[in-house]
Amino acid sequence: MAKFHAALHRRRTLEELSDRLILESIESVTFSLEELHDYKDMFRELERKGLIVTGDFEDFLWSAKGESSNFLFQFDCEIYGEINQALKCYSVQKMYNGITTQTVRQNIGQIKEAIRITRGFRLDHLKHLEDTLNHFGDHKQFAMATSIKEFLIFYNHPHTELYCDLCANYNAKVSNVRELPNFHDILLFDVALDDYFITCTSDEEKLQYYPIFLWWRITRIIPMRPVEFYSLSRDCTMKDDEDRYWMIVPRRKNLSSRPGKLAVTDTIQVNREVFELIEDYKRLTLAYATESSYLISYKAYRKYVKLKSKEITREKIGASQFINMIDRFYDEIVTAKYGDLERIKPGDTRHFAFCNMMLQGFNMLTIARMGGHSQLETQLHYHKHLDHFAQSFVHHAAQMLRMKRVNLWRSNWDVATQGIIAKSRIYQISDFQETHKVEHGFCTDHPSRCQVGDCRFCEFYFFSPEDKQKGLAWLKDCSDALESRLKKQLELIRYVTKSINYDCATLDISAY
């Protein structure tokens, strides 16, 4: 039986030209009852790999393994004859070729909806599908139209061409680049989290939100998927003989044998702070250590959650439990102090980590391997966040040097100017032992020791303008100058990224 690689294509290796190059033939796969035995073979192989949990190929209900839970596949379109059989083969082939269970289940749901609307893709029901699609939002229109086209081409339905022509009207892909929260609100969350743990008076108080603290500290540095964080084992960290600290990440993507694919790494060096945070959490949850082998304790989570329903025995927390914990932290801690903020989602920190690595100059190979990407191109997706993230990073660094936390946040001034204005109101020039006249104020250190270059970003600057309006305008102009500087730096990063030749087999890099 030919081995399938891509979602709906068959690849055969014709010749291995070298260690890095192979000659392949690629052909599209279409459904045929004569090849039904091949799909049953693939189904049995999925069973052996543990991807199909329950059900036989002939059954109308299957259970398939997902990243955090199992998914049910229901093939209940028997009244449309062969279409139901083709739908099973379509599902098997996509899972066999590495498409995630969740994605395939979504495809099947959209195709089944179309089957029912069109009574099995009858020609006289084409208009019904169009009317239905027109009532959906852009994202669902595109997703459903794409699934329908893919299935009909695979099935080779008699009316494939007409239905595909209709679906082509909904081919405007909605960008799936994650919209990151407002940075001002991200920063306040960071402040609130730090404040909470600084002021905790007991281990019980700390334990309630400790998983959020771990997630925030770890996944902003190491680009982990939320499910990888939830799946960290209790012994995920280690210290070697050279006093280096390591973390083992349960990566979900495996190495492909095809050329151009990367071996993702699951063992990542971390600093002492991360190691000690995890050790501290393990100490606090020692009483629950026998309940589960996972780091984040579900039993400890349930201790602080009141549910009306009967408790379900779990080995680890999942997405819904962790989101619940974040929401409780916002409701009980953040909102009371800072108001209603845009909320951070579990997957946002992975984007922060990628952008942070890019801005620090990590090469694409390192970023891809640390992020669990088997293809270099995947991380280009995150370039769209660089402008937003870079401005945020600089603002964060600036405000941390010179800004008091509570009452200065809510104003029309950006975070880079609020601290300067506040400092000028709190102090007098006579409060400083050393002063030197500079633009619109004074340097309270000696200019010869300056390591900043622009007073507006220096902790030793004291704002005291002779003309207040001109001084304030000068302060606000710094954001424009900063933006211009950032754009030049980001263009350089993008240029260098594209100008390097990466050898995925040897992990070597060289300039073109």
Side-chain angles (χ1 to χ4, degrees):
M1 182 181 68
K3 185 176 179 180
F4 296 87
H5 292 278
L8 292 172
H9 289 82
R10 179 184 295 132
R11 291 175 179 265
R12 287 192 180 91
T13 299
L14 301 179
E15 183 180 356
E16 295 186 5
L17 302 176
S18 69
D19 292 339
R20 295 171 54 190
L21 297 174
I22 61 174
L23 181 63
E24 289 185 324
S25 68
I26 303 174
E27 59 179 328
S28 296
V29 177
T30 54
F31 171 74
S32 171
L33 283 174
E34 294 177 359
E35 295 180 353
L36 196 59
H37 63 280
D38 283 346
Y39 293 104
K40 291 181 179 180
D41 286 345
M42 286 190 281
F43 183 90
R44 284 189 285 271
E45 189 167 338
L46 291 173
E47 283 185 305
R48 287 193 293 271
K49 291 180 178 179
L51 291 175
I52 298 293
V53 180
T54 60
D56 293 324
F57 184 86
E58 290 78 12
D59 295 341
F60 82 96
L61 190 66
W62 303 345
S63 175
K65 184 179 180 181
E67 286 192 335
S68 57
S69 61
N70 292 341
F71 294 95
L72 291 177
F73 285 70
Q74 196 167 4
F75 300 97
D76 51 0
C77 299
E78 294 95 336
I79 62 171
Y80 301 110
E82 193 178 84
I83 290 180
N84 199 59
Q85 195 80 286
L87 201 57
K88 288 183 177 182
C89 296
Y90 169 88
S91 305
V92 167
Q93 185 166 309
K94 293 198 73 170
M95 283 190 286
Y96 185 84
N97 296 320
I99 307 303
T100 65
T101 306
Q102 184 175 358
T103 298
V104 178
R105 212 265 301 252
Q106 289 172 347
N107 295 149
I108 295 302
Q110 291 158 352
I111 295 165
K112 283 170 56 178
E113 187 175 359
I115 291 171
R116 294 189 178 100
I117 292 168
T118 61
R119 305 289 178 87
F121 299 107
R122 284 168 45 176
L123 188 58
D124 58 346
H125 280 63
L126 182 67
K127 186 67 168 61
H128 295 340
L129 179 61
E130 182 178 16
D131 292 340
T132 302
L133 288 170
N134 287 337
H135 281 89
F136 293 151
D138 291 345
H139 185 83
K140 185 170 182 179
Q141 282 180 348
F142 173 78
M144 189 168 177
T146 301
S147 296
I148 293 168
K149 284 193 297 182
E150 186 180 62
F151 173 71
L152 288 178
I153 291 172
F154 168 78
Y155 178 46
N156 199 19
H157 190 278
H159 304 312
T160 292
E161 186 174 351
L162 289 171
Y163 271 95
C164 285
D165 284 346
L166 170 63
C167 291
N169 295 324
Y170 307 95
N171 63 357
K173 183 175 182 179
V174 179
S175 174
N176 56 5
V177 176
R178 179 187 294 271
E179 289 293 330
L180 296 180
N182 179 280
F183 176 70
H184 181 266
D185 292 356
I186 296 173
L187 189 58
L188 287 178
F189 175 83
D190 180 59
V191 169
L193 195 58
D194 279 347
D195 280 349
Y196 177 82
F197 279 88
I198 288 171
T199 57
C200 277
T201 57
S202 68
D203 285 347
E204 288 293 314
E205 191 178 2
K206 184 189 292 187
L207 183 57
Q208 182 173 187
Y209 294 116
Y210 213 137
I212 298 178
F213 195 58
L214 288 177
W215 161 74
W216 189 244
R217 288 296 183 88
I218 295 171
T219 62
R220 289 184 305 163
I221 302 169
I222 302 172
M224 295 169 59
R225 299 174 179 88
V227 68
E228 292 170 345
F229 175 73
Y230 313 146
S231 302
L232 285 171
S233 68
R234 192 166 176 85
D235 57 352
C236 64
T237 52
M238 67 186 81
K239 180 181 177 182
D240 64 20
D241 295 337
E242 298 178 13
D243 289 335
R244 295 176 301 182
Y245 302 95
W246 301 89
M247 171 180 283
I248 299 174
V249 180
R251 294 297 188 197
R252 292 286 175 171
K253 296 192 175 181
N254 299 319
L255 169 65
S256 170
S257 60
R258 293 185 59 216
K261 299 291 185 179
L262 277 170
V264 300
T265 183
D266 62 357
T267 304
I268 297 171
Q269 188 171 1
V270 297
N271 59 23
R272 180 176 177 178
E273 179 189 8
V274 168
F275 179 83
E276 291 181 345
L277 281 175
I278 291 175
E279 290 300 305
D280 187 44
Y281 178 74
K282 287 164 67 174
R283 175 185 63 82
L284 294 178
T285 56
L286 189 60
Y288 310 106
T290 58
E291 300 286 340
S292 171
S293 61
Y294 294 101
L295 173 65
I296 308 302
S297 170
Y298 178 77
K299 284 284 187 180
Y301 158 81
R302 283 289 285 117
K303 183 177 181 179
Y304 302 98
V305 179
K306 295 179 181 179
L307 297 177
K308 295 180 180 179
S309 59
K310 186 178 179 180
E311 179 180 348
I312 300 173
T313 303
R314 293 177 180 269
E315 282 194 281
K316 64 176 179 178
I317 68 168
S320 60
Q321 289 81 34
F322 194 69
I323 292 170
N324 174 274
M325 194 185 306
I326 293 176
D327 284 341
R328 282 193 291 111
F329 183 76
Y330 271 103
D331 293 339
E332 298 174 9
I333 308 298
V334 181
T335 304
K337 197 169 186 180
Y338 299 108
D340 191 16
L341 305 180
E342 187 176 357
R343 301 195 174 191
I344 299 168
K345 298 177 285 295
D348 288 340
T349 52
R350 178 171 165 84
H351 290 242
F352 300 159
F354 276 123
C355 293
N356 197 18
M357 292 178 73
M358 290 175 185
L359 290 170
Q360 290 184 71
F362 283 79
N363 68 68
M364 289 179 71
L365 280 172
T366 301
I367 296 172
R369 297 188 71 222
M370 283 190 66
H373 290 155
S374 61
Q375 299 182 74
L376 291 177
E377 295 80 2
T378 306
Q379 64 191 270
L380 297 177
H381 168 87
Y382 298 93
H383 275 203
K384 299 184 186 332
H385 289 313
L386 279 180
D387 295 288
H388 169 273
F389 189 84
Q391 291 173 325
S392 303
F393 182 83
V394 173
H395 284 181
H396 173 68
Q399 69 85 29
M400 280 291 118
L401 286 173
R402 57 182 187 267
M403 190 175 176
K404 300 298 178 183
R405 294 195 171 199
V406 182
N407 295 321
L408 301 176
W409 293 96
R410 297 293 182 186
S411 107
N412 293 325
W413 295 90
D414 62 42
V415 293
T417 59
Q418 292 175 17
I420 299 175
I421 297 170
K423 187 176 180 180
S424 69
R425 291 173 178 169
I426 296 171
Y427 298 100
Q428 301 292 327
I429 190 64
S430 57
D431 292 331
F432 301 97
Q433 293 182 352
E434 184 176 4
T435 59
H436 302 273
K437 183 66 178 174
V438 292
E439 192 169 9
H440 298 296
F442 297 90
C443 176
T444 61
D445 192 23
H446 197 282
S448 64
R449 293 190 288 269
C450 180
Q451 297 182 0
V452 178
D454 191 324
C455 295
R456 291 169 289 193
F457 300 101
C458 182
E459 61 179 314
F460 297 108
Y461 178 62
F462 181 74
F463 181 61
S464 180
E466 294 177 3
D467 186 321
K468 188 175 181 179
Q469 294 303 316
K470 287 185 178 180
L472 292 175
W474 174 74
L475 283 182
K476 295 195 74 174
D477 283 345
C478 73
S479 61
D480 296 332
L482 183 63
E483 183 179 2
S484 176
R485 198 181 312 169
L486 281 170
K487 285 182 178 178
K488 291 179 182 178
Q489 292 296 321
L490 294 178
E491 286 305 315
L492 177 61
I493 288 173
R494 293 185 179 107
Y495 172 76
V496 171
T497 296
K498 295 176 181 178
S499 301
I500 294 178
N501 182 33
Y502 299 93
D503 189 327
C504 297
T506 64
L507 302 181
D508 288 334
I509 60 174
S510 60
Y512 282 129

